[in-house]
Amino acid sequence: EVQLVESGGGLVQPGGSLRLSCAASGFTFSSYEMNWVRQAPGNGLEWISYITASGTTIYYADSVKGRFTISRDNAKNSLYLQMNSLRAEDTAVYYCARDRDSGRGYYGVDVWGQGTTVTVSS
Amino acid sequence: DIVLTQSPLSLPVTPGEPASISCTSSQSLLHTNGYTYLDWYVQKPGQSPQLLIYLVSRRASGVPDRFSGSGSGTDFTLKISRVEAEDVGVYYCMQALQTRTFGPGTKVDIK
């Protein structure tokens, strides 16, 4: 079964750090581009970061640029999001999501994890 | 940056009746490769988002054929031919031409 499972969420104080992980299974993780998408309480979806299959190209939304770092370990079938200098407005459910297979065309962001909740509060 | 707008933001529907959601982009989503990078997603209550339509009109695997997408350039439409109770949720368009951007979402519920 194709699956993404996020972990690492929790309660953190403003200014603190947190590292999210996303474990992939059921597909060739190293072939796929990946995203982090978040959803603040009661709000819509916000794309925050993207990484190519090899990890050589990375993009961030302006809202997290300079504070968050996306990375991946293809040997461990894992995607990560290092979040520093956290703010109250970073409170959200964070989803990892599978994007394009680098060897094929675009077929949409077709696999999503269940999400992990990050709460930034004192 | 590409900005997406959706209308309406709220859509009460009657089961069995058609429904339509519009998505407008601040710039053309047509790539030089000839593909237009506009997708549709739905987030049902308590669930993660799921892909409905990619590249304007291509249904994702397992998506019922009552869902269809159309449009070009900057203007796109998602249509549900006959709404079913299980279709309630928030529908988002997303552009994949330059990084990724979601529209604000359209909440579909039953009248």
Side-chain angles (χ1 to χ4, degrees):
Chain A
E1 179 190 6
V2 173
Q3 198 172 8
L4 296 170
V5 178
E6 302 93 336
S7 61
L11 174 63
V12 60
Q13 293 188 338
S17 298
L18 213 53
R19 188 195 196 205
L20 305 184
S21 299
C22 171
S25 59
F27 65 98
T28 305
F29 177 72
S30 60
S31 295
Y32 284 84
E33 303 164 5
M34 298 293 295
N35 298 282
W36 286 100
V37 175
R38 70 182 180 184
Q39 185 170 36
N43 286 10
L45 301 174
E46 179 189 14
W47 170 84
I48 58 171
S49 190
Y50 159 97
I51 187 169
T52 53
S54 63
T56 54
T57 300
I58 286 170
Y59 298 111
Y60 298 100
D62 289 344
S63 58
V64 305
K65 197 174 297 182
R67 300 187 300 122
F68 289 13
T69 302
I70 190 172
S71 63
R72 64 191 297 159
D73 185 336
N74 287 341
K76 295 183 177 180
N77 292 330
S78 293
L79 178 72
Y80 306 102
L81 186 68
Q82 177 66 43
M83 304 187 295
N84 297 332
S85 303
L86 283 161
R87 307 166 179 166
E89 54 264 37
D90 295 318
T91 294
V93 175
Y94 286 73
Y95 297 98
C96 67
R98 188 177 82 170
D99 206 295
R100 182 189 352 237
D101 181 332
S102 58
R104 301 169 65 208
Y106 179 72
Y107 290 85
V109 179
D110 65 345
V111 181
W112 295 69
Q114 85 289 349
T116 188
T117 300
V118 173
T119 303
V120 184
S121 175
S122 54
Chain B
D1 291 3
I2 297 174
V3 176
L4 299 179
T5 57
Q6 291 181 227
S7 65
L9 298 183
S10 178
L11 182 59
V13 297
T14 301
E17 294 296 307
S20 179
I21 301 169
S22 295
C23 175
T24 301
S25 175
S26 60
Q27 61 189 80
S28 175
L29 300 181
L30 175 65
H31 193 281
T32 53
N33 64 10
Y35 291 105
T36 299
Y37 287 81
L38 188 282
D39 304 336
W40 291 94
Y41 299 82
V42 62
Q43 187 173 31
K44 297 182 179 181
Q47 296 184 18
S48 300
Q50 60 189 81
L51 175 67
L52 284 175
I53 303 281
Y54 64 97
L55 296 176
V56 179
S57 60
R58 304 184 184 196
R59 274 190 301 275
S61 176
V63 173
D65 60 7
R66 65 178 181 275
F67 291 91
S68 64
S70 62
S72 63
T74 61
D75 295 296
F76 306 93
T77 302
L78 175 71
K79 293 183 178 178
I80 309 174
S81 59
R82 295 173 306 279
V83 172
E84 297 188 3
E86 66 182 28
D87 298 334
V88 299
V90 181
Y91 289 75
Y92 298 91
C93 55
M94 188 201 82
Q95 68 82 19
L97 182 68
Q98 298 174 8
T99 63
R100 307 288 181 261
T101 310
F102 290 94
T106 295
K107 185 175 183 179
V108 173
D109 57 13
I110 301 297
K111 282 182 181 176

